[in-house]
Every structure is written in structure tokens, then in C-alpha cells.
Amino acid sequence: MNILITGGLGYIGSHTVIECISNNHNVIIVDNLYNSSIEVLHRLNKFLNKDIKFYRTDMQNIVDFEKVFIENKIDAVIHFAGYKAVGESVKKPLKYYDNNIGITINLLKLMEKYNVKKIIFSSSATVYKESEILPLTENMPLGVTNPYGRSKLIIEDILQDIAHADNEFKVVILRYFNPIGAHPCGMFGEENNGIPNNLMPYIVKVAKGELEYLRVFGDDYNTKDGTGVRDYIHVVDLAAAHIKAIKAFDFESNVNIYNIGTGKGYSVLEIINNFEKATGIKIPYKVVERRGGDIGEYYADSQKAKKELNFETKYGILEMCTDAWNYEKGNN
Ligand code: WQD
């Protein structure tokens, strides 16, 4: 298939480009380099021995964006592009709604105009309401506490409304849990221009000596050791899920939603311990107050993706830590 990947030079996008091309799909990448760099394209071409079609395009500019559809016959879209910092979204909600929803509307208008009827959407576990009942299944109540998560939920609703109006329009929604790690080749990883947001980028900065210690945001949650528990999934496993998701385009229902996680929860302290075991590097930490907006524990019930997509994760927590450090050592 000819697959348009928006945000294809980003962390998850670049790993998905590798999976798509390795599975003999043709890929066209659109990215405005807001949270990535052209170096990622050079590395993808080198690693895959390809000359991947790339458009440096701001999807907000629909005239510019339309060139992609004029110049390429697109069979399906994998839509990653969007801002994703939860904390920033609370401070700048309009920036998040304007961009994340605006670029999606432009994409959908062009898909309609050029009769592109298949989309896989990069959603997030943050669309789920905080729940005492775990693991989370796809039919659990939805509810968001920040503009980033709400932009994801709004896009999910837009896609489902279009699918209900046009049964030829095929939507696969993948709700990611916590992607970490990097491709074992060490050439692709989580770019952190400046201060990172997420746990693993902080840990590798401590491991490199760029940060003195890790702040552990609270140890008074109702969890196994009081620290936050999340479902961490290797980014290569997450990328592979997108290839498996393609088969859902042929399912009876034209809207299919899947949790993409491992089904296991790890606490912050367990991640620290596993990182130290995997790398031999001590990670000093200090417990500080909880981070606003955090919840104590969530992890996926990933049975639906296993049953319907035959998707199963291959990598464990030690590989996630080893590969994250392997990338950081060689690149930042
Ligand atoms: C994980 C755990 C923190 C940093 C976010 C987004 C989500 C998705 C993944 C985009 C929590 C603790 C963290 C630190 C810490 N992104 N922590 N010290 O918040 O689960 O999810 O990223 O889709 O949408 O919400 O990920 O990595 O920030 O935090 O103790 O320096 O690590 O409290 O328990 P989170 P995270």
C-alpha cells in the first residue's frame, strides 16, 4: 500500500516508517519538523537504503498540504502529527486545539477530496477517565483532564462521525499507553530538545550526568510501592502494532478501537530498578510532591488487539531500558 504518514519523522512516526517499509509498503512522510529534525529522514534513508518521499509541510496550510495528494496516489493514512505535551496543553489550550484538530480537519478534507478512505489514528490512553477498575478495556468510560487528551478525544469523535456517515470510510483508533525505548540499531529515539516531559527521557539524562537526580513525583499513591504505575511499551512493538492494524480495514465494522500496551504495569521505582539492572548505572532520585494532573495507576487490557489483530508485544522492560540508553549514549 501507499501509506501517507503524518508526523513521520517523530519518535513513534519514524519507528512506524521502518515497520511499514520493512513490510513492503510505500511511504510518503509529511512533517513540519516542529518536534523532529531532517537528520531523522537522512538516517531512515540510510538505514532502509531508500529515498523516502518527504514533504516538509505545515498541515495547517491546506494549499501546500494538497500537493501531497496531487502528487501521490495514497491508499491509507497513519496520522501521528500533533502537539503532545500534556503540561504545555494546560498552559496553552488554544494552541493545542487549533493545531491538533485544525490539521486533522485539513487532512480529512483532502482525504475526502481525493477519495482516500482509510486512516489509522494515533490516540492515547489519556482519553480514559481515571478508573479504580484495572486493566483498562476499550469500552471503559472516557474522560479527559487536559486539552491534549481532549484534542485526542475530539478527533476520535470526528473520525467516528465521518465513519457513521460513510460506511466506506475505515477508521482504526490505536490508544497508546506509555511508549519508551528506541530501535536497537541506536539511530532512532525520543528527541528531547531541552527539558524532557516523560519519565524515561529524564532517567537517561540522569544516567548521562546531565541531571543530578530524578524527581519521583509522589510516593503516596495507592499503588504497589506508592509511586505512579504505567503500562510501558517498547516503541518498536508500538510501531509494529500499526502494521497489524491495517488488517482491521477489512473488518465488518468500519470503526475499530484498540488499546496498545503490554497489559503490565510498572511503578516509577520499578522502572528505576530495571534501568539500573539493564545498564549498570545508578539512578539517584528524590521523592517530591505529586505532579499536577497525574493519576496513580493505569495499564492496558490488550486482549482485544491480540485476538483481533494478532498483535502481541515482543520486548520486555529490560530491553526497553537498554535500548533507551543505547540511543541516548550514541546520540545526545
Ligand atoms: C510516567 C510516570 C509520573 C517524570 C504522558 C502523557 C500521555 C503519553 C505518555 C502522549 C508518572 C512519573 C515522570 C519524572 C516521575 N503521551 N514521573 N518523574 O504522564 O503517564 O503520560 O506521556 O500521548 O498522553 O500523559 O507519562 O512519562 O510523564 O510519567 O516520577 O521526572 O512517571 O508521575 O507516574 P504519563 P510520564
Side-chain angles (χ1 to χ4, degrees):
M1 290 173 97
N2 289 342
I3 303 177
L4 167 61
I5 302 186
T6 73
L9 295 185
Y11 175 43
I12 305 170
S14 55
H15 285 85
T16 305
V17 165
I18 294 170
E19 290 301 317
C20 286
I21 290 177
S22 308
N23 283 273
N24 302 316
H25 295 290
N26 297 315
V27 163
I28 302 108
I29 296 174
V30 164
D31 203 305
N32 66 358
L33 303 185
Y34 173 83
N35 192 23
S36 58
S37 74
I38 198 67
E39 171 60 18
V40 176
L41 178 68
H42 300 151
R43 292 185 180 193
L44 284 169
N45 284 333
K46 184 164 169 240
F47 182 68
L48 296 162
N49 190 24
K50 284 275 183 187
D51 185 9
I52 303 167
K53 259 196 178 181
F54 169 64
Y55 291 78
R56 179 174 183 170
T57 298
D58 181 352
M59 294 162 64
Q60 289 273 32
N61 178 335
I62 196 164
V63 173
D64 221 12
F65 190 15
E66 184 164 11
K67 288 184 196 128
V68 179
F69 287 80
I70 294 167
E71 295 171 7
N72 300 278
K73 185 197 165 305
I74 293 162
D75 299 313
V77 177
I78 304 180
H79 180 35
F80 292 106
Y83 299 149
K84 63 166 191 169
V86 171
E88 185 190 35
S89 80
V90 174
K91 296 190 189 86
K92 300 178 182 170
L94 186 56
K95 174 181 176 181
Y96 273 68
Y97 291 127
D98 177 45
N99 183 68
N100 292 6
I101 297 168
I103 63 174
T104 304
I105 298 283
N106 284 349
L107 170 65
L108 293 167
K109 281 180 179 172
L110 292 169
M111 285 177 72
E112 184 180 60
K113 182 172 179 180
Y114 290 87
N115 200 33
V116 180
K117 296 267 189 182
K118 298 184 172 92
I119 184 168
I120 296 172
F121 174 56
S122 156
S123 191
S124 166
T126 39
V127 300
Y128 289 111
K129 194 176 272 182
E130 184 165 1
S131 168
E132 296 296 317
I133 303 163
L134 291 170
L136 293 173
T137 55
E138 287 81 357
N139 53 11
M140 297 284 262
L142 304 178
V144 284
T145 57
N146 60 76
Y148 161 75
R150 198 180 317 281
S151 73
K152 290 291 185 183
L153 199 47
I154 290 168
I155 295 167
E156 285 197 11
D157 288 344
I158 291 170
L159 292 173
Q160 293 182 70
D161 286 345
I162 297 173
H164 294 156
D166 170 7
N167 61 18
E168 286 179 12
F169 190 73
K170 310 284 189 175
V171 174
V172 183
I173 290 169
L174 302 183
R175 290 175 180 160
Y176 307 156
F177 281 69
N178 287 58
I180 61 171
H183 193 285
C185 73
M187 293 167 70
F188 308 96
E190 200 165 356
E191 281 308 318
N192 288 294
N193 316 331
I195 291 292
N197 284 311
N198 298 122
L199 178 62
M200 188 54 81
Y202 270 115
I203 288 178
V204 294
K205 294 285 178 215
V206 173
K208 270 198 99 167
E210 289 174 18
L211 290 174
E212 196 191 338
Y213 58 85
L214 175 78
R215 294 170 302 161
V216 175
F217 295 139
D219 64 352
D220 56 353
Y221 288 103
N222 180 21
T223 62
K224 55 184 97 170
D225 58 20
T227 63
V229 171
R230 297 289 185 275
D231 183 330
Y232 297 95
I233 177 169
H234 198 296
V235 67
V236 172
D237 274 332
L238 177 56
H242 293 77
I243 305 301
K244 296 283 188 182
I246 289 171
K247 69 169 66 120
F249 288 141
D250 299 327
F251 289 174
E252 181 68 26
S253 161
N254 66 332
V255 176
N256 293 285
I257 300 174
Y258 300 96
N259 287 338
I260 304 298
T262 64
K264 276 197 291 292
Y266 284 93
S267 74
V268 178
L269 296 184
E270 286 175 322
I271 294 293
I272 293 171
N273 294 338
N274 279 287
F275 187 89
E276 291 177 340
K277 198 154 63 172
T279 62
I281 300 170
K282 192 90 187 93
I283 300 295
Y285 66 87
K286 280 185 187 154
V287 178
V288 297
E289 69 285 352
R290 292 182 177 192
R291 180 174 63 177
D294 272 356
I295 62 174
E297 181 166 8
Y298 64 83
Y299 55 92
D301 177 319
S302 48
Q303 287 311 305
K304 188 180 176 199
K306 181 177 178 191
K307 192 160 130 279
E308 295 184 14
L309 304 178
N310 188 27
F311 170 70
E312 279 190 291
T313 53
K314 291 200 192 91
Y315 296 96
I317 200 70
L318 290 175
E319 288 106 330
M320 293 182 217
C321 294
T322 304
D323 291 339
W325 177 235
N326 183 43
Y327 173 73
E328 182 67 23
K329 267 187 310 184
N331 289 282
N332 288 322

